[in-house]
Amino acid sequence: MRYFDSSAWMRRLESEAVLPEGFQAAAASMDFVPAEKPDAGKQNMNLAVIRLEEPTVSFAGVFTRNAFPGWPVVAGRRLLDAPAVQGLLVNNRVANVGAAGGLEDSQRLSRLTAELSGAEGPYFQSSTGVIGWKLPITEMEAVLPGLCEAPSDDSLLPFARAIMTTDAWPKIRSSNCGGGRIVATAKGAGMVEPDMATMLAFFLTDVDIPRDIARRMLPEVVANTFNRISIDGEMSTSDTVLFFSSRRKPYPGDAEFRRSLTETAAALSEDVVRNGEGCGHVIKITVSGLDDEIKAASIARSIANAPLTKTAVRGNDPNVGRIIQALGAACGGSGLDLNRDVLELSIGDEAIYGKGRFLLNEEKEASLIEYLKKRELPVPPLGWPPHEECVQVTITLGDGRSSATVIGSDLSEEYVKINADYRT
Amino acid sequence: MRYFDSSAWMRRLESEAVLPEGFQAAAASMDFVPAEKPDAGKQNMNLAVIRLEEPTVSFAGVFTRNAFPGWPVVAGRRLLDAPAVQGLLVNNRVANVGAAGGLEDSQRLSRLTAELSGAEGPYFQSSTGVIGWKLPITEMEAVLPGLCEAPSDDSLLPFARAIMTTDAWPKIRSSNCGGGRIVATAKGAGMVEPDMATMLAFFLTDVDIPRDIARRMLPEVVANTFNRISIDGEMSTSDTVLFFSSRRKPYPGDAEFRRSLTETAAALSEDVVRNGEGCGHVIKITVSGLDDEIKAASIARSIANAPLTKTAVRGNDPNVGRIIQALGAACGGSGLDLNRDVLELSIGDEAIYGKGRFLLNEEKEASLIEYLKKRELPVPPLGWPPHEECVQVTITLGDGRSSATVIGSDLSEEYVKINADYRT
């Protein structure tokens, strides 16, 4: 499926954003001055809630493996043990990581949001933004009553917009599943790596999936989707994927639910890359022919993260030697022999290396430049993405049956600019 | 030692460049049109030789771990078994990696250079530059007779200039050792990572170190110097460190030789970072308090390679949360627990994190900005580096006795620009 004009993309988003039965959502906005950096002046923060009409026992979560997690991650891990929950509060701009009293702040906000929403079950709380700053609790508490007053049961779109930080467009994907739906949103544009770095994603479904199955299936699906993308190799302190079911529709069985959940998560995770900070091309690296999928994924990820491959693609320069260099480094680094006589490498449909040598000539070079140019994205983004094309790099290393694909982005001057100036 | 004006730096270089006894060097230049990319037009290539007056048995080499090494690396590994060698031919612009017939080309150039130099022992050959292109053998052979005719026994400087690619200035360091000297030069500005990526370094000494000791000591010294730097996390296909002794001066013993070799290699490897592509700050990450030096080095390297830490330093923005994030990711990724109550982190002399929380305030923020600004380097470089200052990040993780320092650079828009446009 491709969208070549903004209105088509927007129509898709609006129709996919319709909330599953039993969910409500709302968003609000406020200003504050950071205590740690008052000269930064007035900062804007969004708050957003998702509310289930009734508490649910069917919820699950996957969190960052970062050894210095944000306080909302610490609180969220504990809440997984609760018998039931009823919602979620998210703020952007301040990540609440490492700040004094940060755990108490997160838990206090959760409690207050549940109370103000008239909920019977507790709320998760997620934060994303600057690390090190303290949450502006006073200002946040002032805006909560209005936020919780009358959430809408129409659309997830205002919520999806509110949780954005450096994202250029809100990200929502959905799929039908049995008689119900799965609707999901994510934010995240930098600090995005295998382990879901600075990424928040929320999955809502009205399908009555049993709690134990949700808790087994969510990590598996995340491992094959969100953990196979990388914008900059950074694993955030705050990565969180939460899943809630309102249990209104019958469960169609594991196979169908897994297919829908995977489809939604795969599309959403690719959206995260496509909207990555300074992303000028989405690059899919497929490594196949090994006996071990984890090893294939690790090699694909090394190439997806290699700055010289990324910058070459950025320049629409088919400098294929750099892919070979990154491949050799990944194999050498992990002690895997590389058989030059078996190796095959292609970009799109063009064979680049095979039969023990580079297969390059002037014509192929020109065709590769054309291929890369067609897949370019505007940097910085001009509204919605103009297409859903990827640069496909395919590498075969032998005749093993395992393969893996990692989705990454190129590396542009804009990425550096955004991140050198992030707080100023 | 610091150099704050170009003439002081140049004077240092000229005096350090004096060749040890028994060595000669020369450089030449030529043009060619790459067969794979004729529309790139005429390209310049330098060739440079080092000649020992007599063949030596005392030589050693360390090569890249990349599983797709360049042909000169393949040839060089084989030559380590030779009883004696007499010199070295280097070219820039084309790396001779993966090109058809590349091994034969490299060996043919070695043979021809030895013949034309009237040498009795064989020559090493190293190449650096674009991966995938074939060496322009015809043009190279035409320039070899003049190059080999009358090498100078004065200075290594013309050689050091000739092997540069995107380097802004030639790199030479030396030290006295017993009654003799060690003089070394390196090239490399991008694709530089732990395993000496796209880096060539050549060590010349007149000190008569026994061959077996040289072969044991060189890898150890490289592991603690060149393998502890990283500009972009890239491991090249062509990394090579070669070592030659002319055996004119008595050997002062292992301890003294190791000290001199380490001093020279450490200074040279820091030069490589300081001249890294788009390098706007040299950053030293020291991780201490662990029981395992390899683990300390691995964590330090992860932080040195973290794009968000690098871009923040680039912007003179003490966004210390990103260092904590990178630290947490490195620990989480390697299964190491992070004890927040023990963790101490400082930048320069300023404590940033300790006693379980961030130690930040407005004044400290201002002082850190000042600290970073003072250590900035001009991007792109304006001639010689204006200073030898580093941004020092010190992290203590416990009370273990092992520590490691990795030297990296920031990440600037210039790095992306250079590497997106490298071949065009």
Side-chain angles (χ1 to χ4, degrees):
Chain A
M1 220 184 338
R2 290 165 198 169
Y3 306 91
F4 288 96
D5 71 272
S6 304
S7 61
W9 188 283
M10 188 64 204
R11 277 197 306 279
R12 174 190 69 74
L13 205 76
E14 280 172 350
S15 89
E16 299 206 47
V18 173
L19 282 164
E21 283 187 29
F23 288 94
Q24 301 167 329
S29 182
M30 46 155 266
D31 291 332
F32 71 103
V33 175
E36 295 82 356
K37 198 176 162 65
D39 61 316
K42 213 182 272 185
Q43 306 283 310
N44 187 256
M45 174 184 281
N46 296 328
L47 287 89
V49 287
I50 288 172
R51 180 180 188 278
L52 284 102
E53 288 171 15
E54 289 151 28
T56 183
V57 299
S58 180
F59 65 98
V62 178
F63 298 95
T64 181
R65 284 194 305 137
N66 192 300
F68 200 99
W71 292 118
V73 169
V74 175
R77 282 205 183 103
R78 294 186 191 172
L79 200 52
L80 287 181
D81 295 330
V85 298
Q86 202 169 347
L88 165 74
L89 171 72
V90 188
N91 71 273
N92 69 359
R93 199 61 194 147
V94 177
N96 189 18
V97 179
L103 181 58
E104 294 70 26
D105 286 349
S106 171
Q107 290 173 328
R108 183 184 162 84
L109 287 170
S110 290
R111 240 184 352 257
L112 195 58
T113 311
E115 276 171 35
L116 290 166
S117 304
E120 291 159 52
Y123 271 51
F124 281 94
Q125 193 268 318
S126 291
S127 297
T128 175
V130 176
I131 295 174
W133 288 359
K134 208 172 146 54
L135 288 174
I137 286 290
T138 312
E139 293 88 339
M140 292 173 82
E141 288 189 1
V143 85
L144 276 183
L147 176 69
C148 299
E149 201 174 17
S152 149
D153 46 14
D154 291 346
S155 174
L156 190 59
L157 197 49
F159 179 96
R161 282 193 193 280
I163 63 175
M164 288 164 42
T165 50
T166 54
D167 309 59
W169 31 273
K171 284 167 270 297
I172 294 173
R173 295 282 174 169
S174 71
S175 60
N176 296 322
C177 180
R181 292 170 64 238
I182 300 175
V183 180
T185 182
K187 67 83 34 183
M191 213 190 268
V192 169
E193 222 258 342
D195 289 270
M196 305 173 315
T198 303
M199 205 207 52
L200 305 178
F202 307 110
F203 287 79
L204 316 179
T205 184
D206 42 17
V207 172
D208 186 14
I209 179 173
R211 172 177 175 131
D212 60 326
I213 297 179
R215 295 205 171 187
R216 211 170 47 234
M217 200 184 284
L218 184 67
E220 288 168 13
V221 170
V222 165
N224 287 314
T225 54
F226 291 108
N227 287 1
R228 294 262 166 97
I229 63 172
S230 181
I231 292 174
D232 53 12
E234 297 279 15
M235 183 201 295
S236 141
T237 53
S238 307
D239 298 333
T240 299
V241 177
L242 293 174
F243 173 97
F244 304 91
S245 163
S246 63
R247 309 184 59 207
R248 300 287 175 96
K249 309 277 180 175
Y251 186 57
D254 291 357
E256 180 165 350
F257 197 87
R258 185 194 307 274
R259 195 164 42 238
S260 288
L261 188 62
T262 302
E263 181 191 315
T264 312
L268 200 54
S269 58
E270 187 172 328
D271 281 350
V272 169
V273 178
R274 193 166 299 276
N275 189 199
E277 288 168 358
C279 176
H281 295 81
V282 176
I283 309 173
K284 281 191 184 168
I285 313 276
T286 301
V287 171
S288 65
L290 292 179
D291 294 323
D292 178 348
E293 186 189 338
I294 301 300
K295 205 167 266 183
S298 153
I299 291 172
R301 182 171 297 143
S302 291
I303 299 170
N305 281 334
L308 290 174
T309 300
K310 290 158 74 92
T311 48
V313 172
R314 173 61 191 147
N316 291 317
D317 176 8
N319 191 337
V320 295
R322 292 188 182 168
I323 301 175
I324 290 285
Q325 169 265 322
L327 171 65
C331 291
S334 64
L336 187 81
D337 272 346
L338 184 67
N339 185 340
R340 294 173 183 238
D341 296 326
V342 170
L343 170 66
E344 289 176 10
L345 189 154
S346 61
I347 298 181
D349 295 329
E350 296 281 4
I352 300 301
Y353 191 98
K355 298 174 188 159
R357 60 193 181 83
F358 277 107
L359 307 167
L360 298 174
N361 56 46
E362 205 175 344
E363 201 178 316
K364 199 170 279 191
E365 173 101 13
S367 134
L368 286 172
I369 291 172
E370 209 43 47
Y371 177 86
L372 293 173
K373 279 189 178 160
K374 275 199 185 139
R375 279 148 189 85
E376 199 168 348
L377 293 163
V379 176
L382 307 165
W384 305 100
H387 61 75
E388 289 193 303
E389 300 285 353
C390 296
V391 174
Q392 175 69 53
V393 176
T394 308
I395 296 167
T396 308
L397 291 173
D399 51 12
R401 302 188 57 172
S402 294
S403 70
T405 298
V406 168
I407 308 180
S409 71
D410 61 6
L411 173 61
S412 67
E413 296 172 58
E414 190 70 13
Y415 173 88
V416 178
K417 199 169 146 52
I418 291 167
N419 286 300
D421 303 338
Y422 183 51
R423 299 193 312 164
T424 52
Chain B
M1 220 185 336
R2 290 164 199 169
Y3 306 91
F4 287 97
D5 71 273
S6 305
S7 60
W9 189 283
M10 188 63 205
R11 277 197 307 277
R12 175 190 69 72
L13 205 75
E14 280 173 348
S15 88
E16 299 206 46
V18 173
L19 282 164
E21 282 188 28
F23 288 93
Q24 300 166 329
S29 182
M30 45 155 267
D31 290 333
F32 71 102
V33 175
E36 295 83 355
K37 199 177 161 66
D39 61 316
K42 213 183 273 183
Q43 305 284 310
N44 187 256
M45 174 185 280
N46 297 328
L47 287 88
V49 287
I50 287 172
R51 179 180 189 279
L52 284 103
E53 288 172 13
E54 288 151 29
T56 183
V57 299
S58 179
F59 65 99
V62 177
F63 297 96
T64 180
R65 284 194 305 136
N66 191 302
F68 200 98
W71 292 119
V73 169
V74 175
R77 282 206 183 102
R78 294 185 191 172
L79 200 51
L80 287 181
D81 294 331
V85 298
Q86 201 168 345
L88 165 74
L89 172 72
V90 188
N91 70 273
N92 70 359
R93 198 62 194 147
V94 178
N96 189 18
V97 179
L103 182 58
E104 294 70 25
D105 286 349
S106 172
Q107 289 172 329
R108 183 184 162 82
L109 287 170
S110 290
R111 242 187 348 260
L112 194 58
T113 311
E115 276 170 35
L116 290 165
S117 303
E120 292 159 52
Y123 270 51
F124 280 94
Q125 193 267 319
S126 292
S127 298
T128 174
V130 175
I131 295 174
W133 289 358
K134 207 172 147 54
L135 286 175
I137 285 290
T138 312
E139 292 88 340
M140 291 173 83
E141 286 188 3
V143 85
L144 276 184
L147 177 69
C148 298
E149 201 175 19
S152 148
D153 48 13
D154 290 348
S155 175
L156 190 59
L157 198 49
F159 179 97
R161 283 193 193 279
I163 63 176
M164 289 165 38
T165 49
T166 53
D167 309 59
W169 32 273
K171 284 167 270 299
I172 294 174
R173 293 282 175 170
S174 71
S175 59
N176 296 319
C177 180
R181 293 170 64 238
I182 301 173
V183 180
T185 182
K187 67 80 37 182
M191 214 189 268
V192 169
E193 222 258 341
D195 289 271
M196 307 171 315
T198 303
M199 206 207 53
L200 304 178
F202 306 110
F203 287 79
L204 316 179
T205 184
D206 42 17
V207 172
D208 186 15
I209 180 172
R211 172 176 174 132
D212 61 324
I213 298 179
R215 296 207 170 185
R216 212 170 47 234
M217 201 184 284
L218 185 67
E220 289 168 13
V221 169
V222 166
N224 287 315
T225 53
F226 291 108
N227 286 1
R228 293 263 166 97
I229 63 173
S230 181
I231 291 174
D232 53 12
E234 297 278 16
M235 184 201 295
S236 142
T237 53
S238 306
D239 297 332
T240 299
V241 177
L242 293 174
F243 172 96
F244 303 92
S245 164
S246 63
R247 308 183 59 208
R248 300 288 175 94
K249 309 277 180 177
Y251 186 58
D254 291 359
E256 181 166 348
F257 197 87
R258 184 194 306 273
R259 196 165 40 241
S260 287
L261 188 61
T262 302
E263 181 191 315
T264 311
L268 200 55
S269 58
E270 187 172 327
D271 281 350
V272 169
V273 178
R274 191 166 301 276
N275 189 200
E277 289 169 357
C279 175
H281 295 82
V282 176
I283 309 172
K284 281 192 184 168
I285 314 276
T286 301
V287 171
S288 65
L290 292 179
D291 294 324
D292 178 349
E293 187 188 337
I294 301 300
K295 206 166 265 184
S298 153
I299 292 172
R301 181 171 298 142
S302 293
I303 300 170
N305 280 335
L308 291 174
T309 300
K310 289 159 74 93
T311 48
V313 172
R314 172 63 191 145
N316 291 317
D317 176 8
N319 191 337
V320 294
R322 291 187 181 168
I323 301 176
I324 291 283
Q325 169 265 322
L327 171 66
C331 292
S334 63
L336 186 82
D337 273 345
L338 184 68
N339 185 340
R340 295 174 184 235
D341 297 326
V342 170
L343 171 66
E344 289 176 11
L345 189 154
S346 61
I347 298 180
D349 295 329
E350 295 282 2
I352 299 303
Y353 191 97
K355 298 175 188 158
R357 61 193 180 84
F358 278 106
L359 307 168
L360 299 174
N361 57 46
E362 206 176 343
E363 202 177 317
K364 199 170 280 191
E365 173 102 13
S367 136
L368 286 172
I369 291 172
E370 208 45 45
Y371 177 85
L372 293 173
K373 281 190 178 159
K374 275 199 184 140
R375 279 147 189 87
E376 199 168 348
L377 293 163
V379 176
L382 307 165
W384 305 100
H387 62 75
E388 289 193 302
E389 300 284 353
C390 297
V391 174
Q392 175 68 54
V393 176
T394 308
I395 295 167
T396 308
L397 291 172
D399 52 11
R401 302 188 59 173
S402 295
S403 70
T405 297
V406 168
I407 308 180
S409 72
D410 61 5
L411 173 60
S412 67
E413 295 171 59
E414 190 71 13
Y415 174 89
V416 178
K417 200 171 146 51
I418 291 168
N419 286 299
D421 303 339
Y422 183 50
R423 298 193 312 164
T424 53

